[in-house]
Amino acid sequence: SLEPENEEAMLNVYKSKVSLADWEGIAEDIGNLIGLTRAQLSLGPSCTLDPVYASLLPVSSTFMLRVAHANIVSYNNYTPVPRDDSIDSNVGKHFVANKGTSLRKKLVVGYVASDFNEGHPTGHLIRGVLDSHDRAHISVHCYGRGRDDGSEQRRRIIEACDVFENVSAIGNFEVAKTISQNGVHIFVDLMAHTCPICLSVAAYRPGAIVVNYFGYPGTIGSGSYAQYIVVDRNIVVPERVRAEISEKAV
């Protein structure tokens, strides 16, 4: 029988009803789920509700921030991967090559996602972002955590990168270490709470700067490793930034 005080059971009921478009009694289920989550959060930063499903509920952005924070507390103890800080200090500076040619060290921007392919909006939308980088000053890296579907879309994404690595078969720490060793300065998590394995990579802080962008319309919930979020007024109005997101908005 259904246990109305069981947070996990009620979340699964809600997920199932949404998936099946079964709206009978949904208002009561939503109210119960929100109440149970509030009770959990009142005891500390822990809850069963995940931020993706929370974003579908009639709750405030401050509530969303608390849910997001509760879902990433376990990542706060991750030890950052080893990083050569000297690679960051020379970004943008000019160097003179042996033949007297003036060179500028490129900024390396690395993206991680599970959907660099044909079957997901991320694959379609992110290619334009990759193409828009000024390649004279920026080196583009992408790290794919999902399958290679062999599609034309994936081929075009790979062609838009200076470095593309399929890292779907290795662990999160090893992915983060690879990214750090490749000299990525700005690491961009394109999935956040929509893809926990990508979020785990970000938690190891593989870049000098970690950015939340694109795939999840909200805060990661901790500024300890994701320092920035790229948003517009549809996500958060400037007057509410400090109250509703943990990152610095750009």
Side-chain angles (χ1 to χ4, degrees), residues 51-90:
V52 174
Y53 276 93
S55 68
L56 304 177
L57 301 176
V59 294
S60 67
S61 295
T62 51
F63 180 87
M64 284 290 303
L65 173 58
R66 295 179 67 196
V67 170
H69 177 67
N71 275 263
I72 54 82
V73 166
S74 60
Y75 298 137
N76 287 346
N77 294 325
Y78 281 28
T79 301
V81 291
R83 182 171 183 79
D84 179 6
D85 293 334
S86 66
I87 66 174
D88 303 323
S89 60
N90 292 324

Side-chain angles (χ1 to χ4, degrees), residues 1-88:
S1 61
L2 185 63
E3 302 176 38
E5 299 304 315
N6 185 314
E7 296 87 354
E8 186 171 358
M10 293 309 300
L11 177 58
N12 287 331
V13 167
Y14 172 69
K15 288 181 177 180
S16 298
K17 285 192 171 184
V18 170
S19 298
L20 297 171
D22 177 6
W23 309 123
E24 182 177 354
I26 193 69
E28 182 179 353
D29 293 332
I30 288 174
N32 192 17
L33 181 58
I34 293 173
L36 290 172
T37 302
R38 291 190 191 280
Q40 285 184 311
L41 292 173
S42 70
L43 302 176
S46 176
C47 69
T48 306
L49 180 62
D50 64 82
V52 174
Y53 276 93
S55 68
L56 304 177
L57 301 176
V59 294
S60 67
S61 295
T62 51
F63 180 87
M64 284 290 303
L65 173 58
R66 295 179 67 196
V67 170
H69 177 67
N71 275 263
I72 54 82
V73 166
S74 60
Y75 298 137
N76 287 346
N77 294 325
Y78 281 28
T79 301
V81 291
R83 182 171 183 79
D84 179 6
D85 293 334
S86 66
I87 66 174
D88 303 323

Side-chain angles (χ1 to χ4, degrees), residues 61-62 64-66 68 212 216-223 226-232 235-238 240-250:
S61 295
T62 51
M64 284 290 303
L65 173 58
R66 295 179 67 196
N212 170 18
Y216 174 70
T219 181
I220 282 181
S222 173
Q227 299 99 327
Y228 295 92
I229 180 173
V230 181
V231 291
D232 59 20
I235 304 300
V236 60
V237 295
R240 297 288 300 168
V241 165
R242 291 187 178 180
E244 296 178 0
I245 63 175
S246 62
E247 307 92 332
K248 182 177 181 180
V250 293

Side-chain angles (χ1 to χ4, degrees), residues 91-142:
V91 173
K93 293 183 179 179
H94 283 280
F95 296 88
V96 178
N98 292 334
K99 296 183 180 180
T101 303
S102 178
L103 301 175
R104 184 191 295 268
K105 185 175 178 62
K106 287 186 177 182
L107 181 70
V108 182
V109 180
Y111 296 89
V112 67
S114 59
D115 300 302
F116 289 127
N117 52 41
E118 179 71 30
H120 194 277
T122 297
H124 292 272
L125 298 173
I126 197 61
R127 192 176 61 82
V129 175
L130 302 179
D131 286 339
S132 69
H133 286 300
D134 181 354
R135 306 303 277 278
H137 301 105
I138 297 175
S139 180
V140 177
H141 293 205
C142 281

Side-chain angles (χ1 to χ4, degrees), residues 124-165:
H124 292 272
L125 298 173
I126 197 61
R127 192 176 61 82
V129 175
L130 302 179
D131 286 339
S132 69
H133 286 300
D134 181 354
R135 306 303 277 278
H137 301 105
I138 297 175
S139 180
V140 177
H141 293 205
C142 281
Y143 300 89
R145 296 293 277 154
R147 67 184 180 87
D148 180 354
D149 63 352
S151 66
E152 175 68 11
Q153 184 74 293
R154 188 175 179 93
R155 184 189 67 78
R156 295 173 69 182
I157 290 172
I158 293 173
E159 288 182 350
C161 301
D162 296 290
V163 173
F164 185 98
E165 294 194 33

